[in-house]
Each structure stands twice: as C-alpha cells, then as structure tokens.
Amino acid sequence: MGEPSDIQNALLQAIFLDPDAHSFNAAGLEVYRNNLRATANKALQITYPTVLQLIGDDLFSHAVEQLLKRSPPHAGDWGMWGEGFAQILSEQVPLQEYLFVVDCAHLDFQRHILERAANSSLNTQSLQLLATEDPDGINVIFNPGIRVLESRFPLADIWQAHQGDENERAQRLHRALQDSQSQFPSQPIQYVLLYRPLYKAQVRVLSASEYEWIEMLKHHSLGATLSQLESSPLTFESFLSSALQDNLISHLTNIYPK
C-alpha cells in the first residue's frame, strides 16, 4: 500500500481529474467530493470574506471548485490553503470588468495570514542605538508580518466598506469605487498597510511619504534613508512615532557591532 499522501493524491485526482483512472467506489467518491467542496467553501469563506460579499455564493463556489481542481490541499490545515484564489478570480469572465475583486482577494489572504502569525513586539532596548550610534550604522528591522499592497483601486476603502453596518455597505462601496473603474491608472492610486498592533490585524491607507520611508528603510541604513528623504514632507521622527504605535518595527540593529 502506498503512503497516505500517495493515496490522498490519487483520491483527489479521481475526484476532480480522471474518475475512471482509479478503482474508488463511485458512490463513496461522490460523498467525498461533496464533503470536500463544502469544507473548501467554508474554509475560503473565512479566508476571503470581502470577496464572498462582492461576488456572491454562486460565483464564489464555482471559483473554489476550480481552485480545488488546480491546486488541491496537501496538508491538514485548511486555514493555510487558498493562496491561488486571486489568480482563479482573475480568470473569471464575469469579473473582467471588476478587477478590483482580485486586489481584494490579495488583501483578504494577506490579512488572514497576518491574523494567524505569531505575536511580534518591539525590542525597546534596541532604540537606544538612536542615541549612541551614527545613523549610517543603524538598520531598521520591520516586523515580518506586516504587508504593503499596491492597488490601482481604493482598496482599503473597498475593504472598509464591507465592515460594520450591512445597510450602509452598498453606499460605501459605491463611494469607494467612484471613478476607479473607468480610469485604470498605470500607477497605484493607493498603498495599503496590513499590520497588527495587538492581536487583530488592521488595514489602513499608507501615505506616499510613509511608503517611501518603509521601502527605503527596508533596503538601506537609517543614515542613507535620512539623506535620500531629507526633503520628504514626513519627518523621520513623525514616521517613527507612527510606526512604533502601529507595531511595525521589530528592532534596530548595529551594522558595525563593536
């Protein structure tokens, strides 16, 4: 008898790809297929709540089944399955005029992963480097869980429109999408920050200046960043205060330890 993973792979192939190539009982296979569909739907409804509200049950279920066929789960944790859902959605003909749904899928998935990530907090002692070291010798290390998304659409506003009062949802969504569907700008119109200051993942718009500070500090020393962004309308002190409040920074490191 093969390994459990081999049996599972064969079963999944029989369910979705070639049911005649295996000797599984047809009635049992149909029961398993229905259970798998239901479990997959429930799992992705948890992972992609905004997408579900945007496209409805029928199209959502259709996309879930396509993902099952293309990329079936290979682990027992359904919460970690579904990363390819955005690609599946991008191929759906009914959504070709509503491409913001794909960006919403990316946001939903990244927020879901952030919710499941281990807690991360600031090493406050490392901040002493700001007083003792030259900025050229300091690197700012961000918490690994934070995500910055770029979108041609008002992504954070669309996400926010689907929170809270259901009666106001349609009106909020309409306001969020005004002009965005017709313009299709080549550059992002919104940077979106996903972060977790305490236990719950948060979503907010990231200003262009904040985005510049984060991207520069990811790849350059503090000194090089200060030099490059000396004319920025956002000072480092203001950026640092906000970043610490939002739990974006893990610690500072000394590039040239003594």
Side-chain angles (χ1 to χ4, degrees):
M1 180 178 293
E3 295 295 325
S5 59
D6 296 331
I7 296 173
Q8 183 184 44
N9 289 337
L11 182 58
L12 290 171
Q13 184 178 10
I15 289 173
F16 292 113
L17 301 178
D18 189 3
D20 298 325
H22 301 277
S23 57
F24 296 106
N25 177 270
L29 203 62
E30 184 61 25
V31 171
Y32 192 92
R33 180 184 290 116
N34 290 335
N35 286 339
L36 190 63
R37 285 170 175 160
T39 302
N41 261 287
K42 182 62 176 178
L44 291 199
Q45 285 174 10
I46 294 172
T47 305
Y48 294 96
T50 311
V51 172
L52 176 62
Q53 294 178 62
L54 284 169
I55 69 177
D57 292 334
D58 291 344
L59 183 53
F60 190 91
S61 297
H62 174 72
V64 170
E65 181 151 352
Q66 288 191 309
L67 183 62
L68 277 171
K69 292 178 180 179
R70 182 179 303 180
S71 181
H74 294 291
D77 187 355
W78 280 94
M80 298 304 295
W81 176 72
E83 185 173 6
F85 199 50
Q87 178 60 38
I88 294 292
L89 293 171
S90 72
E91 300 167 3
Q92 304 304 305
V93 173
L95 298 180
Q96 294 307 300
E97 296 182 5
Y98 306 97
L99 295 179
F100 62 87
V101 174
V102 176
D103 285 3
C104 287
H106 286 299
L107 188 155
D108 272 350
F109 185 77
Q110 293 300 331
R111 186 176 181 277
H112 174 72
I113 294 300
L114 182 56
E115 286 276 352
R116 294 169 58 92
N119 291 333
S120 182
S121 59
L122 171 70
N123 179 343
T124 55
Q125 288 188 336
S126 69
L127 295 180
Q128 296 176 5
L129 293 175
L130 294 173
T132 61
E133 301 297 328
D134 187 281
D136 287 333
I138 298 175
N139 274 344
V140 176
I141 309 301
F142 290 92
N143 282 330
I146 70 167
R147 297 288 186 272
V148 176
L149 304 181
E150 303 177 20
S151 179
R152 295 178 298 165
F153 305 98
L155 186 57
D157 303 275
I158 296 172
W159 181 84
Q160 188 61 46
H162 290 81
Q163 313 306 309
D165 190 348
E166 184 175 354
N167 294 327
E168 297 181 5
R169 193 168 295 160
Q171 186 177 0
R172 289 179 179 178
L173 180 60
H174 176 73
R175 288 199 301 265
L177 290 175
Q178 280 182 334
D179 301 326
S180 68
Q181 293 185 48
S182 59
Q183 292 180 5
F184 292 101
S186 58
Q187 297 297 321
I189 66 169
Q190 195 171 84
Y191 299 105
V192 180
L193 176 68
L194 289 86
Y195 63 107
R196 204 172 84 182
L198 292 174
Y199 304 107
K200 188 176 180 61
Q202 303 292 330
V203 176
R204 73 169 175 85
V205 175
L206 197 65
S207 71
S209 297
E210 289 178 296
Y211 176 81
E212 286 182 328
W213 278 106
I214 290 176
E215 288 303 302
M216 281 293 297
L217 288 169
K218 280 182 179 179
H219 306 290
H220 302 280
S221 71
L222 175 57
T225 301
L226 289 170
S227 176
Q228 184 70 25
L229 298 182
E230 62 181 352
S231 61
S232 171
L234 179 66
T235 66
F236 174 68
E237 289 75 12
S238 296
F239 168 78
L240 180 62
S241 176
S242 176
L244 294 179
Q245 180 177 336
D246 290 342
N247 194 30
L248 304 188
I249 295 175
S250 169
H251 59 283
L252 308 185
T253 62
N254 189 345
I255 300 175
Y256 312 111
K258 298 175 182 178

